[in-house]
């Protein structure tokens, strides 16, 4: 009968950190233990403390974000529209620069405006945005919408937002569903 090799204990720390499977097993077990202990530490008292902190910040840091009030039409063509607006205090996030939701709304509304300019009605079917740079209060925002695809039922637009220095703030791809 062949002899079996001796088994190494699953967790062993002879001269340094554990290796191989021992690392993974120990890490996973420790992580699971931390999650359980974190859940046990969550009490009604800590939830009330969180609520109190948030209620203090909400009126100060989170206020109504407004846009589309001062948009200026610069150019319109069959597959292009250019607009301009400014970042006002109503468009800021708690950190003091343009709110991502405000930038997204500019992209969405401008994309729809291109479709509306052709006498069609639409709704947003799909949207994707990449935020590239923060906009500051008083900055001018130029909005350019280009139709990448104009089909019977959908229009896919690329929307680019740039500031007065031609620095891109955001680029979005918007799929508009044409209502017939």
């Amino acid at each position: 009968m062949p002899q079996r090799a001796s088994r190494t204990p699953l967790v062993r720390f002879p001269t340094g950190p554990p290796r191989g499977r021992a690392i993974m097993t120990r890490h996973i077990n420790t992580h699971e233990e931390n999650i359980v202990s974190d859940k046990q530490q969550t009490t009604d008292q800590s939830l009330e403390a969180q609520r109190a902190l948030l209620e203090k910040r909400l009126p100060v840091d989170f206020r109504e974000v407004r846009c589309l009030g001062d948009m200026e039409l610069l150019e319109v063509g069959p597959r292009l529209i250019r607009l301009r607006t400014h970042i006002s205090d109503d468009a800021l996030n708690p950190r003091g620069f343009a709110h991502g939701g405000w930038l997204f709304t500019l992209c969405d509304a401008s994309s729809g405006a291109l479709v509306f300019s052709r006498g069609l009605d639409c709704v947003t079917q799909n949207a994707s945005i990449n935020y590239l740079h923060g906009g500051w209060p008083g900055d001018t925002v130029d909005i350019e919408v280009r139709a990448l695809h104009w089909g019977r039922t959908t229009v896919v637009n690329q929307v680019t937002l740039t500031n007065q220095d031609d620095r891109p703030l955001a680029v979005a791809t918007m799929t508009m569903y044409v209502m017939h």
Side-chain angles (χ1 to χ4, degrees):
M1 177 176 240
Q3 275 193 333
R4 294 178 61 182
S6 65
R7 289 193 176 180
T8 306
L10 189 57
V11 178
R12 179 177 68 140
F13 303 94
T15 57
R19 298 185 189 133
R21 184 177 170 147
I23 291 174
M24 293 304 296
T25 304
R26 183 70 184 141
H27 175 73
I28 290 169
N29 290 341
T30 303
H31 182 68
E32 288 171 356
E33 289 168 11
N34 288 341
I35 291 172
V36 171
S37 64
D38 287 347
K39 287 180 183 175
Q40 290 168 347
Q41 290 175 4
T42 303
T43 64
D44 291 338
Q45 185 179 16
S46 65
L47 290 176
E48 286 304 315
Q50 280 182 286
R51 181 184 303 276
L53 285 172
L54 188 56
E55 285 175 349
K56 285 181 188 175
R57 285 197 64 181
L58 278 175
V60 177
D61 292 340
F62 299 96
R63 55 190 187 282
E64 182 179 21
V65 175
R66 297 181 182 188
C67 62
L68 311 179
D70 68 342
M71 289 182 69
E72 173 188 356
L73 179 63
L74 301 177
E75 180 182 348
V76 65
R79 297 174 71 96
L80 170 79
I81 192 170
R82 287 196 176 100
L83 302 136
R84 177 173 288 154
T85 191
H86 299 88
I87 300 175
S88 67
D89 289 341
D90 290 337
L92 304 179
N93 66 17
R95 295 185 177 266
F97 50 88
H99 193 287
W102 184 80
L103 295 170
F104 182 88
T105 301
L106 287 178
C107 293
D108 188 35
S110 302
S111 182
L114 177 58
V115 178
F116 297 151
S117 74
R118 300 273 297 267
L120 300 169
D121 195 10
C122 67
V123 294
T124 305
Q125 181 178 6
N126 190 38
S128 172
I129 189 166
N130 290 303
Y131 299 100
L132 306 172
H133 184 264
W136 300 102
D139 279 0
T140 299
V141 179
D142 288 328
I143 307 155
E144 181 179 279
V145 183
R146 290 189 177 276
L148 302 175
H149 163 78
W150 202 292
R152 192 174 50 80
T153 57
T154 60
V155 177
V156 179
N157 294 324
Q158 180 175 342
V159 184
T160 306
L161 306 179
T162 55
N163 68 8
Q164 66 277 358
D165 301 323
D166 284 330
R167 189 166 190 179
L169 303 178
V171 177
T173 303
M174 314 293 288
T175 302
M176 312 306 287
Y177 178 76
V178 179
M179 313 284 283
H180 291 286

